[in-house]
């Protein structure tokens, strides 16, 4: 199936792959060919691409994925190959997430913001 | 009648002006290519975002709990205009054309009794609007330190706009910028950001693929709408960047050509007065010799 990873600034990745694992907002999910059409938001985490020469891992800081039967596209605000990611880059994202917790008004928003802080912290541990 | 020496100095100075405008034109041409590439690279993201959102919005528009970013506040009293211009001049009518469009609309809205607030992006627009709309300016975004607009710049502007919206400072938000058509043509454009509007996707999606949404549609919509505003602002800034370089390129091309024409004219004048001086000197000698 076709997988595209695009950021606002450029197209980061586009190739035929066997499957891809996404950090969905409601849990990780693996997408293969003929997956039901789905739109899901992503939490900060790692996208794992399996299959062919294009296998690899990407770090995303949130965004969403559009999955159709013949492919998937990941629209991430910030995405990079895992090798390029480090804790310093994510520090800014973490600070932003923490600020969001401060200003969150409703209980729902603050829970979502706190979850984001958790996700980013986890991700920072993963990329080291 | 200027002396020969004066003319020579004029010619030299116009020649160095021509060198400068020529250099600026070439710099603009190089920057234009980069700016165009950036705008091109950003298109897939914006297109997908638009496609997914318009799909989502179609279903949610009538729901009473749809986000305000989509449906509006229910009134249209206060308008926030984001006027995006360049940080630098010497680019023909680039800045003026955006300001003119924004000013016309601001006047129209005011005559209809609406309140208008303006945020300027880029120094030049601010300078022009300060003359007659100083009391409407509520904010300014300085991009003079930014060599190349990135998503972060747009994100910052979007956050500012969204927090103002959350504070109920305005009902409708529009952004003004120049769409890049070609080097000689940039089109002043207005796009409404809030309440969100979507270009109808042409062809393809008409079959209306039924998507599963995770989490449910409204949560996604609430998550995506702010992002989409940042994306639209980003697109506007990129179009603007390309337009600015294009406008500067053609303005500098004209300036270079004008300088060339001026040099030609001055050179002719220089040669004429040189020949006139020689002729009159000869006449003096000849008439002197005849008198003997």
């Amino acid at each position: 199936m076709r997988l595209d990873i695009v950021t606002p600034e450029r197209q980061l990745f586009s190739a035929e792959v066997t499957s891809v694992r996404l950090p969905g907002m409601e849990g990780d999910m693996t997408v293969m060919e003929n997956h039901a059409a789905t739109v899901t938001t992503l939490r900060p985490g790692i996208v794992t691409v399996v299959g062919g020469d294009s296998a690899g891992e990407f770090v995303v800081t949130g965004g969403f994925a559009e999955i159709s039967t013949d492919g998937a596209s990941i629209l991430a605000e910030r995405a990079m190959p895992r090798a390029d990611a480090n804790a310093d880059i994510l520090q800014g994202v973490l600070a932003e997430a923490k600020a969001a917790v401060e200003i969150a008004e409703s209980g729902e928003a603050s829970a979502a913001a706190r979850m984001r802080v958790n996700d980013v912290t986890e991700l920072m541990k993963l990329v080291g | 009648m200027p002396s020969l020496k004066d003319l020579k100095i004029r010619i030299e100075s116009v020649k160095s002006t021509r060198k400068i405008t020529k250099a600026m034109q070439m710099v603009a041409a190089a920057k234009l290519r980069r700016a165009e590439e950036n705008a091109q690279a950003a298109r897939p993201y914006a297109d997908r975002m638009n496609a997914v959102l318009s799909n989502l919005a179609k279903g949610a528009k009538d729901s009473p709990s749809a986000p305000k970013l989509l449906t509006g506040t229910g009134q249209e009293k206060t308008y926030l205009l984001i006027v995006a211009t360049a940080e630098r001049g010497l680019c023909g009518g680039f800045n003026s054309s955006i300001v003119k469009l924004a000013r016309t609309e601001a006047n129209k809205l005011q005559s209809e009794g609406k309140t208008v607030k303006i945020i300027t992006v880029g120094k030049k627009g601010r300078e022009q609007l300060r003359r007659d709309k100083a009391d409407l300016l509520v904010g300014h975004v300085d991009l003079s330190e930014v060599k190349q607009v990135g998503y972060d710049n747009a994100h910052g502007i979007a956050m500012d706009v969204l927090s103002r919206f959350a504070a109920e400072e305005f009902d409708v938000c529009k952004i003004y910028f120049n769409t890049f058509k070609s080097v000689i043509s940039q089109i002043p454009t207005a796009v409404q950001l809030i309440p969100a509007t979507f270009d109808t996707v042409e062809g393809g999606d008409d079959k209306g693929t039924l998507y599963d949404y995770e989490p449910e549609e409204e949560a996604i919509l609430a998550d995506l709408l702010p992002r989409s505003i940042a994306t639209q602002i980003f697109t506007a800034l990129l179009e603007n960047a390309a337009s600015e370089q294009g406008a500067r390129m053609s303005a500098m091309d004209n300036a270079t050509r004008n300088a060339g024409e001026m040099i030609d004219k001055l050179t002719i004048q220089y040669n004429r007065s040189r020949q006139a001086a020689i002729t009159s000197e000869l006449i003096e000698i000849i008439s002197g010799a005849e008198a003997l």
Side-chain angles (χ1 to χ4, degrees):
Chain A
M1 69 173 198
R2 184 112 210 133
L3 174 70
D4 295 309
I5 302 179
V6 285
T7 69
E9 283 164 14
R10 67 204 172 95
Q11 182 139 14
L12 187 69
F13 177 93
S14 177
E16 288 293 324
V17 302
T18 317
S19 77
V20 56
R21 195 164 78 230
L22 308 169
M25 193 57 90
E26 298 186 335
D28 286 10
M29 61 198 281
T30 297
V31 177
M32 299 181 84
E33 185 119 6
N34 284 324
H35 191 285
T38 307
V39 172
T40 176
T41 45
L42 302 177
R43 56 191 167 76
I46 291 177
V47 172
T48 314
V49 180
V50 180
D53 322 324
S54 43
E57 288 184 318
F58 294 89
V59 168
V60 296
T61 65
F64 69 100
E66 183 200 4
I67 299 153
S68 58
T69 45
D70 52 355
S73 20
I74 298 174
L75 281 81
E77 295 208 328
R78 219 174 299 166
M80 60 210 106
R82 178 164 180 177
D84 296 350
N86 58 47
D88 290 340
I89 300 178
L90 294 171
Q91 207 73 50
V93 183
L94 182 64
E96 220 170 86
K98 279 183 173 158
V101 175
E102 299 291 323
I103 58 164
E105 279 160 8
S106 65
E108 223 172 285
S110 118
R114 260 199 297 274
M115 223 157 80
R116 190 170 160 83
V117 172
N118 271 346
D119 288 334
V120 180
T121 327
E122 283 292 307
L123 182 60
M124 281 169 81
K125 271 187 215 145
L126 275 175
V127 298
Chain B
M1 187 76 181
S3 76
L4 277 182
K5 194 171 175 227
D6 289 341
L7 278 174
K8 208 163 191 176
I9 292 170
R10 269 307 284 292
I11 293 173
E12 280 311 309
S13 98
V14 178
K15 268 188 184 160
S16 49
T17 308
R18 183 173 64 173
K19 267 185 209 152
I20 293 169
T21 55
K22 182 88 196 161
M24 283 183 78
Q25 185 210 335
M26 289 195 287
V27 170
K31 281 189 179 165
L32 170 66
R33 234 199 31 226
R34 262 231 309 276
E36 262 188 297
E37 276 166 16
N38 286 338
Q40 208 88 54
R43 216 151 280 163
Y45 187 89
D47 288 350
R48 289 286 165 70
M49 181 73 109
N50 187 51
V52 170
L53 268 176
S54 62
N55 224 337
L56 268 167
K58 240 182 275 162
K61 199 120 203 175
D62 305 320
S63 147
S65 54
K68 276 190 176 164
L69 284 174
L70 182 66
T71 56
T73 53
Q75 47 186 359
E76 290 184 359
K77 273 176 76 179
T78 314
Y79 280 70
L80 180 72
L81 311 182
I82 305 174
V83 183
T85 54
E87 287 292 343
R88 305 205 291 146
L90 289 181
C91 43
F94 173 79
N95 291 314
S96 307
S97 63
I98 303 172
V99 171
K100 200 169 124 198
L101 177 69
R103 187 178 280 143
T104 326
E105 290 218 16
N107 287 338
K108 196 174 134 234
L109 289 170
Q110 277 183 316
S111 70
E112 286 168 8
K114 320 256 192 212
T115 318
V116 178
K117 294 176 178 176
I118 297 177
I119 291 181
T120 50
V121 181
K123 197 173 71 189
K124 287 291 159 184
R126 183 179 182 76
E127 281 168 6
Q128 291 191 21
L129 282 168
R130 209 159 37 188
R131 274 178 235 145
D132 60 336
K133 298 255 176 283
D135 48 329
L136 302 182
L137 299 176
V138 291
H140 174 63
V141 181
D142 188 4
L143 296 179
S144 55
E145 302 295 314
V146 181
K147 281 230 168 63
Q148 189 192 330
V149 280
Y151 183 71
D152 289 342
N153 302 119
H155 185 69
I157 300 173
M159 285 301 120
D160 180 33
V161 170
L162 288 171
S163 67
R164 283 173 199 270
F165 186 72
E168 292 176 359
E169 284 186 34
F170 64 89
D171 305 310
V172 179
C173 176
K174 286 184 172 185
I175 184 165
Y176 294 87
F177 61 98
N178 265 334
T179 307
F180 181 78
K181 235 317 97 75
S182 71
V183 176
I184 44 165
S185 157
Q186 298 88 32
I187 301 156
T189 315
V191 171
Q192 181 171 315
L193 296 178
I194 302 172
T197 53
F198 302 101
D199 308 336
T200 33
V201 186
E202 285 165 27
D205 242 17
D206 275 353
K207 60 183 187 285
T209 319
L210 282 176
Y211 285 104
D212 283 338
Y213 293 99
E214 217 180 285
E216 69 273 25
E217 300 186 23
E218 275 178 18
I220 290 199
L221 205 52
D223 188 64
L224 287 194
L225 280 169
R227 290 176 208 268
S228 128
I229 286 168
T231 310
Q232 278 175 299
I233 294 177
F234 185 52
T235 312
L237 291 183
L238 288 175
E239 286 285 340
N240 236 8
S243 301
E244 180 195 343
Q245 299 307 339
R248 178 166 295 129
M249 202 174 124
S250 55
M252 287 301 117
D253 186 40
N254 278 337
T256 310
R257 208 169 314 130
N258 286 344
E261 277 169 23
M262 198 156 175
I263 291 170
D264 288 348
K265 258 190 224 151
L266 286 171
T267 314
I268 288 175
Q269 207 187 337
Y270 174 79
N271 287 341
R272 286 227 178 106
S273 38
R274 191 175 56 93
Q275 283 158 354
I278 294 170
T279 315
S280 70
E281 247 173 70
L282 274 178
I283 290 173
E284 269 169 38
I285 296 171
I286 293 167
S287 54
E290 270 176 4
L292 280 176

